Amino acid sequence: MKNEFKVISDLIEDNKKVLDVGCADGTLMQFLKENKNINVRGLEISKEKVQECIAKGLTVIEGNAEKDLKQFPDKSFDYVVLSQTLQAFLSPELVLDELLRVGKKAIVTIPNFGNWKVRLHLLFKGTMPITKSLPEQWHSTPNLHMCTIKDFVNFIKSKEIKMIKTLALNNNNVSNITNNNLGTKNLFADLGIFLIEK
Amino acid sequence: MNTEKNIKTLIVKKPLKLDCGKTINNFPVAFETYGSLNENKDNAILVFHALTGDQFVTGLNPITKKDGWWSFAVGPDKAIDINKYFVICSNVIGGCMGSYGPSHKDPETQKTFGTDFPVITINDMVNAQYNLLEHFGIKKLFAITGGSMGGMQVLQFITNFPDKAKTVIPIATTSSHSAQNIAFNELGRQAITADSNWKDGNYETNNINPGKGLAVARMAAHITYLSKKGLQEKFGRKLQEREDLKFGFDADFQIESYLRYQGSVFVDRFDANSYLYITRAMDYFDLVKQFNGNLSDAFKNTKAKFFIISFTSDWLYPTQENKDIVIALNSIGADVGFVEIVSDKGHDSFLLDVPDFLNALKNFLDKSYTELKNEK
């Protein structure tokens, strides 16, 4: 299981109710279910991935987060997880609002467009950056709204969303992001992981 | 229980009050079982059949001598594995494969009921079938499932008996029969009653059969079970055993010949009055209205695990109507999974060899059964 999922799972206490939005093949869900006795549901747009989840005995609903989150009642989950997908929505702001409506807390992770490798790629090659966490060409990427860790922190602050925990993941090292080190983390982290609530 | 003519029958002694107000008692419910009930009696699956189905789910149907209607899904090692599960299916009341229906004799007058048989509903059907649980001594079914009208019975069953099933799998169905579906059913009923042999439903007394009307009803319905793409790919404009058009009204096209065949074989196995009664039951089905406009209330007392399946090319019970059930369940935090299967075989997809569907069904059942075993 990738390190990101270990970090996410450490943020969630045992026996909670969790919705994994864009749960893919259910790797995180299965881990949460088996190791933390978590009552976990998934929402996934890909039919193939939904089938993989069913084969693992996971409860998954085929659907689109931008349309289908509205069917869940307010605060019906302890945590709603959204892993590296926010940038792929037509309207990330609306999805974020929905996550915080449906979940008492949300865990959102974003690939960091501010990472130095990304910056250098654009600066020296003059083409859209391709990295480990951004593997697709500009014309085939699902990412519509790339942002940096700094962008996301500013956005969260502007929306008066409470940041409970902000973590940077860099080469499997996890560290806290603070006001003092934001610039550095924004340069070196591959991934930002945010535990937020409204 | 009698086993006359290969039909097993449970005589229900308890009176059953029907939605129409009448009460029936001492009535037969014909059923069939597959596999064996284990010692804990926790491996039973109740399958509900659709409009023209019957209790003979799989293997050779002893009456029609054809494969059972769900042979693709039910059998040894299949999606519903009868090496593992005990499958029960019964003929709906109002039907014509042994359960109490319009072709039975009225015990008071000793005349065939015909249209004097009370109008039944999906609710009446499941209440009648519930007696099978007591008959087998099953406290809780492992699963209930069915497609189309079978799915309606699934929804009604878990509503009426919220703690009697562990898992609930409605397939290609709806919680409220749409105007379009009522319209198609009405077309079928009109075809039957317009047949001069129908005789206000008393054709059996006159030893005749409204076969033409019933065949037309079947042909019209059959079109609704397929998709435009499926029809086009299978038949296109291919001609039936002829080089060119004949400039007449014989079946020039293969699709015409196919429909005529479907109509004629149906008449041999199905009763016209039963067709009227069962389509009426479907039309009356409105679980949303039963709960004053809030479908979620139907399911609020159950802890069952739901899995809902729809098909992309099903325009009779489209994905959105299946999703409405998912939405109602999600809004009360129920345990519900949902998948839409890609298939160009239309509404009939649930009866056919559609591997993605059969795999999903098998995986869901087997994983849920393993979980059930681990709980103990």
Side-chain angles (χ1 to χ4, degrees), chain B residues 93-207:
Chain B
I93 57 167
C96 50
M97 198 54 95
S99 287
Y100 207 35
S103 55
H104 282 235
K105 283 195 164 51
D106 184 337
E108 281 170 26
T109 63
Q110 286 306 312
K111 283 195 337 207
T112 304
F113 273 115
T115 50
D116 290 332
F117 192 75
V119 167
I120 43 115
T121 62
I122 300 291
N123 182 44
D124 299 331
M125 289 175 183
V126 302
N127 288 337
Q129 295 182 70
Y130 180 74
N131 291 289
L132 287 164
L133 268 68
E134 285 171 10
H135 174 71
F136 287 107
I138 296 165
K139 288 201 177 68
K140 191 167 196 163
L141 293 156
F142 163 56
I144 53 175
T145 187
S148 199
M149 187 184 83
M152 298 176 203
Q153 293 172 77
V154 168
L155 297 174
Q156 187 75 59
F157 186 95
I158 200 63
T159 302
N160 294 9
F161 313 107
D163 60 347
K164 289 294 174 187
K166 188 87 191 158
T167 57
V168 176
I169 315 163
I171 303 162
T173 192
T174 184
S175 53
S176 173
H177 220 222
S178 69
Q180 189 183 45
N181 287 6
I182 296 170
F184 281 121
N185 278 347
E186 173 61 2
L187 175 67
R189 286 190 294 266
Q190 286 295 326
I192 291 166
T193 56
D195 188 319
S196 58
N197 278 356
W198 183 62
K199 304 263 184 235
D200 294 326
N202 296 318
Y203 48 88
E204 268 183 50
T205 336
N206 295 303
N207 262 326

Side-chain angles (χ1 to χ4, degrees), chain A residues 17 33 41 47 50-51 54-57 59-64 68 71-73, chain B residues 307 323 327 330-331 333-342 356 360 363 367 371:
Chain A
K17 193 171 177 189
K33 187 179 167 185
R41 308 282 161 75
K47 291 178 193 298
V50 171
Q51 291 279 6
I54 295 163
K56 289 175 181 161
T59 302
V60 177
I61 291 164
E62 182 187 328
N64 174 342
D68 293 319
Q71 63 188 277
F72 297 98
Chain B
F307 183 41
K323 265 187 127 173
I327 291 167
N330 270 327
S331 77
D335 189 339
V336 55
F338 164 72
V339 65
E340 182 196 49
I341 304 290
V342 178
D356 282 350
N363 284 330
K367 288 290 170 181
E371 252 171 48

Side-chain angles (χ1 to χ4, degrees), chain B residues 39-53:
Chain B
E39 219 172 292
N40 297 333
K41 300 193 174 190
D42 67 3
N43 69 333
I45 299 180
L46 183 57
V47 169
F48 297 94
H49 71 73
L51 166 59
T52 65

